[in-house]
Amino acid sequence: MTYTPKRLRTPQGFNYTKLEPKRYCADEEWIYRSPRYGKRIRIKQGQIRDGATGAWDLISLAWWCHDQLCADGHWLDGSDVTPWQAACVLGDILRNEGHWFRAITWKYA
């Protein structure tokens, strides 16, 4: 059985393609600014990610930003990011998207 790629769009307008289960590709570059920290995160076009680790994947910008922060270890300006900051960004975006329950549970997971 072959998998047909599916284009997805987050509530913020970020476009990405689901290549196969648990494998996604950013269709464009996206820069997100965290209102909490006033810092930016860059998701590069062509970036491959595995979605929400250990959870159901949502059409969301949250896990993209969280994964990018964890992979880079720093904000776009070069300053270090802590695991707690990455978790807070994840929770903030999920809450903004209306996923209030996951905003709490995923933040602390």
Side-chain angles (χ1 to χ4, degrees):
M1 183 172 139
T2 58
Y3 186 82
T4 303
K6 181 179 180 184
R7 293 213 7 126
L8 303 168
R9 184 178 178 89
T10 68
Q12 298 85 348
F14 174 63
N15 296 301
Y16 62 99
T17 300
K18 184 175 185 177
L19 302 173
E20 57 189 55
K22 301 303 274 180
R23 187 173 152 104
Y24 302 87
C25 180
D27 294 339
E28 60 194 0
E29 179 172 284
W30 189 268
I31 296 181
Y32 173 78
R33 183 185 170 278
S34 167
R36 178 188 298 255
Y37 298 110
K39 304 249 183 193
R40 297 171 198 249
I41 303 158
R42 177 187 295 147
I43 301 167
K44 297 176 185 169
Q45 183 177 11
Q47 184 74 53
I48 303 291
R49 293 285 180 224
D50 65 356
T53 306
W56 290 94
D57 289 337
L58 298 173
I59 297 174
S60 175
L61 184 61
W63 55 263
W64 278 98
C65 289
H66 180 264
D67 285 5
Q68 195 66 49
L69 287 172
C70 291
D72 290 347
H74 56 79
W75 299 95
L76 187 56
D77 68 3
S79 61
D80 290 341
V81 64
T82 66
W84 177 249
Q85 288 174 319
C88 287
V89 168
L90 174 80
D92 292 346
I93 296 171
L94 286 169
R95 189 174 302 103
N96 181 267
E97 292 174 343
H99 302 292
W100 64 270
F101 181 76
R102 285 191 175 105
I104 296 166
T105 57
W106 285 14
K107 178 179 175 179
Y108 293 101

